[in-house]
């Protein structure tokens, strides 16, 4: 088992840079695809260092929990870290960053990794955009 773990660690180390570049490229593609579909969002992390492929975005006027539930069988999104799952209060991290309860409730997280390809990202963006439009219709948010 120790030798197997060592070999797995060597393989992971060899692929680390390529995986990071791939994740960053897919994350950028997801943002571009959402923008091209007129999804109003802002980056939570802005230009800060993040895990390559990791995204935290605020989608204006959309309840993140409802969005995640609506997309659960199509797109893997979350509203917080594993250590905060099941909690009803606002993320202490978003709170410390100055987010109000309302704006923190509009934040979703996604992770673009080695097992995803550009077509997966385009499909995810299409599903997210459709769910955001549906949410806007249901709540009247963003409708003129």
């Amino acid at each position: 088992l120790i030798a197997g773990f060592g070999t797995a660690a060597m393989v992971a180390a060899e692929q680390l840079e390529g995986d990071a570049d791939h994740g960053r490229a897919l994350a950028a593609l997801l943002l571009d695809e959402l923008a091209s579909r007129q999804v109003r969002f802002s980056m939570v992390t802005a230009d800060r260092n993040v895990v390559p492929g990791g995204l935290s975005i605020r989608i204006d006027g959309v309840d993140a929990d409802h969005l995640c539930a609506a997309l659960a069988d199509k797109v893997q999104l979350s509203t917080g870290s594993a250590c905060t799952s099941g909690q009803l209060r606002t993320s202490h991290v978003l709170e410390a960053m100055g987010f109000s309860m309302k704006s923190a409730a509009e934040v979703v997280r996604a992770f673009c990794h080695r097992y995803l390809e550009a077509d997966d990202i385009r499909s995810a963006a299409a599903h997210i955009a459709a769910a955001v439009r549906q949410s806007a219709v249901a709540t009247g948010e963003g409708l003129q």
Side-chain angles (χ1 to χ4, degrees):
L1 290 175
I2 292 171
F5 182 79
T7 301
M10 279 187 352
V11 169
E14 290 169 0
Q15 295 181 352
L16 192 61
E17 189 174 325
D19 285 349
D21 291 342
H22 181 71
R24 279 190 284 271
L26 292 180
L29 177 61
L30 179 59
L31 296 176
D32 289 346
E33 290 289 321
L34 291 174
S36 74
R37 289 171 167 81
Q38 287 78 45
V39 174
R40 295 179 318 175
F41 67 89
S42 56
M43 292 289 299
V44 170
T45 52
D47 60 353
R48 294 177 183 90
N49 287 332
V50 297
V51 173
L55 290 170
S56 183
I57 59 175
R58 176 179 169 225
I59 302 177
D60 299 338
V62 175
D63 182 275
D65 286 325
H66 290 129
L67 181 65
C68 289
L71 294 170
D73 62 338
K74 296 173 189 74
V75 179
Q76 295 176 350
L77 297 174
S78 67
T79 58
S81 63
C83 60
T84 60
S85 78
Q87 292 185 6
L88 298 177
R89 70 183 296 278
T90 302
S91 161
H92 64 280
V93 174
L94 294 176
E95 205 172 84
M97 291 173 72
F99 280 75
S100 68
M101 285 182 62
K102 180 188 180 309
S103 61
E106 297 172 339
V107 174
V108 294
R109 297 178 337 133
F111 185 69
C112 303
H113 50 78
R114 75 166 71 161
Y115 302 110
L116 295 174
E117 298 300 331
D119 285 344
D120 299 316
I121 298 303
R122 288 184 194 96
S123 175
H127 288 300
I128 293 168
V132 167
R133 280 191 301 276
Q134 185 62 37
S135 175
V137 169
T139 64
E141 288 281 334
L143 299 179
Q144 304 294 333

